[in-house]
Amino acid sequence: MQSLQVHNKSGQVTLPKSDLRRDGIIEDDFPSGFEQQCVVDRLGRGQFLVRLVNVNGEGDVPDLLEADAVQRAAMQLLLDDDHHRVELELD
């Protein structure tokens, strides 16, 4: 679990190096002068989504709807809705 800290009067959370390695953002450690642009979206109270800007030279921001967490949440909503429909039809 990460902790929210104050840095320059803003909230700051660190990302685990092991996750950054697994995703190919860094190889072993942070190279000298490392910098990665990010977009942070507030999804709701206490919920944030961090997206790393693509490093393809164009600075593309990954589409919010393509985020795995967003797709899982959308699928869960669909499944819950279908489940409620089936219950209503059986009643």
Side-chain angles (χ1 to χ4, degrees):
M1 182 175 294
Q2 305 304 106
S3 62
L4 178 62
Q5 303 171 359
V6 177
H7 182 70
N8 292 332
K9 298 185 180 182
S10 292
Q12 177 178 331
V13 176
T14 59
L15 302 174
K17 279 202 249 183
S18 59
D19 291 341
L20 295 171
R21 280 189 205 104
R22 181 177 51 200
D23 291 347
I25 308 302
I26 60 173
E27 287 185 23
D28 187 34
D29 208 353
F30 292 101
S32 177
F34 178 85
E35 187 172 307
Q36 172 66 57
Q37 296 295 314
C38 301
V39 174
V40 179
D41 297 291
R42 182 181 179 275
L43 301 179
R45 183 182 171 124
Q47 299 174 350
F48 300 87
L49 178 70
V50 177
R51 294 179 287 159
L52 303 183
V53 176
N54 291 340
V55 191
N56 61 6
E58 298 177 21
D60 294 335
V61 176
D63 189 80
L64 183 63
L65 297 176
E66 293 178 10
D68 291 341
V70 173
Q71 289 184 0
R72 280 193 304 272
M75 183 58 69
Q76 187 62 51
L77 287 172
L78 286 172
L79 291 172
D80 288 348
D81 188 46
D82 285 344
H83 177 71
H84 293 301
R85 280 191 203 152
V86 169
E87 284 182 348
L88 291 174
E89 289 174 7
L90 291 176
D91 292 342

